[in-house]
Amino acid sequence: MPTVTHQGRLNAEGFRFAIIASRWNDFITGRLVEGALDGLDRLGAAEDDVELYKVPGSFEIPLLALKVAESRKFDAVICVGTVIRGQTPHFEYIAGEVTKGIAQAGMQTGVPVIYGIVTADTLEQAIDRAGAKQGNKGFEAAMTAVELVNLYQEVFKKDEGKRTRGRGVAETRRK
Ligand code: INI
């Protein structure tokens, strides 16, 4: 049992977020964007602190995610897109590159870059993961982003002096 536990709270106030969304399968990805916006709004993000970037397909997401993260304008970058196996023979290539690229953007910049990509075998499965039966992956990605920005602020930034807009909100529990 650890004596100290660090975990981020779910408070988006004072943090800035970028959402990167692909237009491919827009009727599904659009719901992921709505889910992400709803999540950020519910957790207290200000409208002016959220910016949406659109790219043609999911394959284009990683490079933009990297550049947006490198700009240091945002505390976290949320990526949403939809790749469906039935629609393309190169599903594995696209899904693999997007997954790898999103991870790389985070590792290379130190900015949390969140994976909100639906990879599904069928259209029906994709719809289920965009708000129908299995939650909304965009909403979940927003929750993850908010938790992480709070965690990183608490653990790594508190000695740098508090940000004027942000708050030190991660919880440290001693047992
Ligand atoms: N892009 C997607 O986001 N989802 C898909 O299912 C998809 N399929 O099926 O091909 C897709 N292809 C486009 C790709 O992401 C690039 O935009 C394109 O190859 C140009 O680089």
Side-chain angles (χ1 to χ4, degrees):
M1 189 66 90
T3 54
V4 180
T5 302
H6 298 279
Q7 58 186 339
R9 285 195 194 158
L10 291 175
N11 182 352
E13 243 175 280
F15 293 104
R16 302 204 70 205
F17 300 89
I19 298 172
I20 302 192
S22 55
R23 284 194 305 272
W24 195 278
N25 295 314
D26 196 42
F27 62 103
I28 296 171
T29 307
R31 293 190 197 177
L32 302 178
V33 172
E34 280 168 23
L37 289 172
D38 182 40
L40 293 175
D41 180 51
R42 287 202 208 186
L43 296 180
E47 239 173 69
D48 287 351
D49 285 340
V50 181
E51 287 183 28
L52 175 63
Y53 294 80
K54 289 206 167 188
V55 291
S58 294
F59 192 77
E60 283 70 48
I61 290 175
L63 181 58
L64 186 60
L66 175 65
K67 288 180 177 294
V68 167
E70 277 175 345
S71 76
R72 305 279 158 196
K73 276 176 63 187
F74 301 96
D75 297 290
V77 179
I78 299 166
C79 302
V80 294
T82 311
V83 191
I84 302 175
R85 187 185 296 274
Q87 284 183 2
T88 173
H90 46 275
F91 169 89
E92 304 290 348
Y93 300 118
I94 293 183
E97 288 307 311
V98 173
T99 303
K100 215 172 4 153
I102 288 175
Q104 217 175 320
M107 298 298 279
Q108 231 168 288
T109 57
V111 174
V113 180
I114 312 301
Y115 184 83
I117 309 294
V118 166
T119 54
D121 287 333
T122 62
L123 184 61
E124 196 185 12
Q125 269 181 7
I127 291 169
D128 286 347
R129 293 171 197 169
K133 288 187 191 153
Q134 293 177 34
N136 180 311
K137 210 163 167 61
F139 185 89
E140 287 164 20
M143 297 285 133
T144 302
V146 173
E147 182 171 338
L148 286 182
V149 296
N150 280 285
L151 177 66
Y152 289 139
Q153 182 179 70
E154 169 67 17
V155 177
F156 302 110
K157 293 188 184 165
K158 66 180 173 191
D159 295 335
E160 293 171 16
K162 291 273 182 285
R163 294 155 43 104
T164 48
R165 288 182 298 115
R167 301 201 327 222
V169 287
E171 180 184 8
T172 302
R173 203 173 46 208
R174 290 183 184 276
K175 289 186 182 154

